[in-house]
Amino acid sequence: MDMVIFVLVAFVLVGGGLLLFGLMTFGGEREVLRKARELEETGAEVPAVLVALEPLVRTDTLRAHYEYRTAGGERARHTTGVAPNPLHVVGERYPLVRLPRVTTNVHLGTMAAVRKERRDRERYVRHAVWTMIVGFAACATAATGLVLVP
């Protein structure tokens, strides 16, 4: 009888952990999915020029600064961290997808990469929902078993 109670308590803890983990990942992934959808629906692919590469202190990454034209014609700058790679050449043009109005929401890559990112984010959200469902089911089943065991 003690072993049964031990297993049921373990299932309550594991189910509660899965439910909590699903809730934590669901919110962030849903926000990223919203941004990816917006980029796919209204984004425009523009060329961005790599203007500077600077090393970061005590890390193995570089800070890359890209410049591109906004819808109004002025120049905007996008900064991101990149791994050291001989393919990053200052002065070269790289594709960048931006929103027509907001210059802060950009994706370094082509529209095909934006579509792939959106599909991946939809899959992540779907997995988070299933994780929450499995966690709730395990927790509820084990809690019911604990109530029924005298």
Side-chain angles (χ1 to χ4, degrees):
M1 190 59 101
D2 289 336
M3 188 64 167
V4 171
I5 291 175
F6 176 74
V7 169
L8 290 175
V9 168
F11 265 91
V12 167
L13 293 176
V14 168
L18 279 174
L19 185 60
L20 184 64
F21 178 72
L23 285 172
M24 287 181 354
T25 59
F26 184 69
E29 290 296 330
R30 197 173 60 189
E31 178 65 24
V32 174
L33 175 62
R34 184 190 62 77
K35 287 182 180 179
R37 259 195 205 128
E38 188 177 14
L39 267 177
E40 183 186 15
E41 291 169 357
T42 62
E45 190 172 324
V46 295
V49 178
L50 179 60
V51 292
L53 276 174
E54 57 189 41
L56 294 175
V57 180
R58 288 186 233 115
T59 62
D60 196 23
T61 60
L62 303 170
R63 181 175 291 143
H65 300 279
Y66 297 92
E67 280 189 356
Y68 61 96
R69 295 261 181 207
T70 63
E74 61 268 3
R75 288 198 173 272
R77 198 168 242 212
H78 174 65
T79 303
T80 185
V82 296
N85 190 339
L87 297 177
H88 295 297
V89 178
V90 176
E92 287 290 319
R93 293 186 180 275
Y94 298 93
L96 181 128
V97 178
R98 65 162 171 79
L99 287 177
R101 299 163 311 284
V102 183
T103 60
T104 58
N105 192 6
V106 298
H107 180 83
L108 199 57
T110 62
M111 284 299 285
V114 169
R115 283 190 290 275
K116 183 183 180 311
E117 180 75 18
R118 182 200 43 87
R119 281 193 313 268
D120 288 345
R121 293 298 171 181
E122 283 177 348
R123 193 176 75 238
Y124 296 157
V125 168
R126 196 169 33 250
H127 289 311
V129 167
W130 278 107
T131 301
M132 289 187 295
I133 290 171
V134 166
F136 179 76
C139 195
T141 305
T144 304
L146 279 174
V147 169
L148 294 177
V149 171

